[in-house]
Amino acid sequence: MFDYSSQAYYQHIKARQPEAPQEDLFIQEVLRIRHGQKRIGAHKLLVMMAPFMAAHNIHIGRDTFLKLLSERCLLIRKRRRSKPQTTVSSHWLRKYPNLAVGFVPRAAGQLWISDITYIPM
């Protein structure tokens, strides 16, 4: 009607609203939660903050939330294992017997053994 797209209208409305106080309040809540649970991930943190956001009328999407945390260096890096975790035989589940015990191969290709437990599923 006014030769503006609805996207331009909503961007203009959003640009007029000051968001700095909301961001500061939001970051304070993130830090409060992280004080008790230091290694909680961003996605779970966003779900946990839903009641807080509803109470304070804060509307923020996942990508904006991640960007906000990234700008303030509040994202948690994923821990990497130094080496792959292989077979752990000290469990109560059924263990298959080692069929290669005592077998001495006489030629190539007579005995094939593999361990795929390090492959993440």
Side-chain angles (χ1 to χ4, degrees):
M1 184 170 175
F2 297 109
D3 291 329
Y4 290 105
S5 67
S6 58
Q7 178 183 7
Y9 170 75
Y10 287 112
Q11 283 179 348
H12 175 73
I13 295 296
K14 187 175 179 181
R16 288 179 30 195
Q17 295 175 350
E19 294 187 12
Q22 278 189 344
E23 285 181 6
D24 291 338
L25 181 67
F26 198 71
I27 293 299
Q28 290 298 325
E29 181 65 12
V30 168
L31 293 174
R32 186 190 68 75
I33 292 174
R34 283 265 172 88
H35 181 72
Q37 300 177 6
K38 299 191 185 316
R39 300 284 307 167
I40 192 166
H43 294 285
K44 192 179 285 188
L45 186 62
L46 183 60
V47 171
M48 288 176 64
M49 291 186 64
F52 173 81
M53 293 186 327
H56 290 86
N57 198 21
I58 297 174
H59 303 287
I60 188 169
R62 181 197 66 209
D63 293 339
T64 306
F65 177 68
L66 290 173
K67 182 180 173 188
L68 183 64
L69 291 182
S70 177
E71 288 171 352
R72 308 225 181 178
C73 300
L74 292 174
L75 288 177
I76 302 297
R77 286 190 170 179
K78 187 176 180 182
R79 290 183 182 170
R80 298 218 174 217
R81 294 182 186 254
S82 59
K83 62 181 184 177
Q85 183 177 356
T86 57
T87 306
V88 177
S89 297
S90 59
H91 55 76
W92 58 271
L93 299 171
R94 180 176 179 198
K95 299 171 197 145
Y96 291 92
N98 185 357
L99 301 177
V101 172
F103 179 75
V104 178
R106 305 260 184 249
Q110 284 186 338
L111 177 65
W112 288 56
I113 299 175
S114 66
D115 181 11
I116 61 169
T117 56
Y118 65 91
I119 299 174
M121 299 279 176

